[in-house]
């Protein structure tokens, strides 16, 4: 029994200490000249869908939830955000080249249609990001139309 108490004590000490290892939660400033919804003059309804379902991980406008202040959960969240921004960052859309934009739009369209984005784990904590079938179709059609018309 004494060993179990020691293990619990040291686990609690370790948990307390890792709280002093912060993540960087500062978003880069938004340049409205390259931000997707402004550059593309995205219709309000589509812009709303993108912002509620995509922007937390795929832009420099991340809103960190309260639980993002608790390590090691915070590390996982930051890792997902960094990875999301690497794949597509709507805040710097205007800086991407033609081929990259085509690739990103194609992957975004597929991900929305296949329900792999927003990530199911994200939807659990962010109900507003749980897009209906109609919203998914609307968003996928918007991306598809951009691809067809080559207006990206």
């Amino acid at each position: 029994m004494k060993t179990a108490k020691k293990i619990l004590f040291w686990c609690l000490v370790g948990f307390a200490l890792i709280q002093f290892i912060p993540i960087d939660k500062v978003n880069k400033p938004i340049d409205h000249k390259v931000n997707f919804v402004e550059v593309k003059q995205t219709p309000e309804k589509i812009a709303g869908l993108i912002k509620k379902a995509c922007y937390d991980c795929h832009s420099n406008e991340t809103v960190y939830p309260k639980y993002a202040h608790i390590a090691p959960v915070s590390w996982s969240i930051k890792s997902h955000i960094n990875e999301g921004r690497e794949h597509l960052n709507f805040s710097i859309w205007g800086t991407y080249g033609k081929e990259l934009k085509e690739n990103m739009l194609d992957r975004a369209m597929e991900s929305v249609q296949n329900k792999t984005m927003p990530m199911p784990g994200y939807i659990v904590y962010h109900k507003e990001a749980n897009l209906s079938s109609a919203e998914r179709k609307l968003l996928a059609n918007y991306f598809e139309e951009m691809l067809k018309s080559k207006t990206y």
Side-chain angles (χ1 to χ4, degrees):
M1 193 63 164
K2 232 177 184 188
T3 304
K5 284 184 181 181
K6 282 183 183 181
I7 291 171
L8 180 60
F9 171 77
W10 287 111
C11 284
L12 289 173
V13 168
F15 181 75
L17 289 175
I18 66 172
Q19 301 314 307
F20 293 103
I21 305 171
I23 60 166
D24 180 12
K25 293 187 280 280
V26 177
N27 290 321
K28 292 179 182 176
I30 305 304
D31 181 351
H32 298 284
K33 294 179 204 130
V34 295
N35 193 20
F36 181 86
V37 296
E38 285 134 352
V39 168
K40 303 311 309 161
Q41 297 177 339
T42 307
E44 194 174 320
K45 185 169 185 167
I46 301 289
L49 292 175
I50 293 171
K51 287 187 176 194
K52 79 177 186 176
C54 311
Y55 261 45
D56 266 352
C57 295
H58 294 284
S59 80
N60 294 336
E61 298 181 43
T62 303
V63 177
Y64 289 91
K66 289 179 183 173
Y67 57 84
H69 300 283
I70 301 168
V73 174
S74 60
W75 305 339
S76 175
I77 291 169
K78 185 61 176 178
S79 174
H80 283 282
I81 291 168
N82 289 344
E83 187 178 343
R85 288 176 181 169
E86 284 176 21
H87 289 281
L88 166 60
N89 187 335
F90 285 108
S91 294
I92 59 171
W93 180 258
T95 67
Y96 295 138
K98 178 185 174 216
E99 285 183 34
L100 191 53
K101 286 177 181 177
E102 283 178 2
N103 262 341
M104 290 177 173
L105 284 171
D106 190 48
R107 282 186 285 150
M109 183 180 64
E110 278 183 26
S111 298
V112 168
Q113 288 172 331
N114 297 336
K115 298 183 179 181
T116 55
M117 285 289 157
M119 291 174 60
Y122 178 78
I123 292 172
V124 170
Y125 296 102
H126 301 271
K127 301 291 184 201
E128 72 280 1
N130 192 9
L131 300 174
S132 69
S133 294
E135 290 172 326
R136 285 182 181 281
K137 185 173 179 147
L138 186 65
L139 197 51
N141 287 347
Y142 180 73
F143 293 146
E144 184 177 30
E145 185 55 41
M146 286 178 70
L147 283 166
K148 284 181 181 175
S149 64
K150 300 205 181 280
T151 56
Y152 31 80

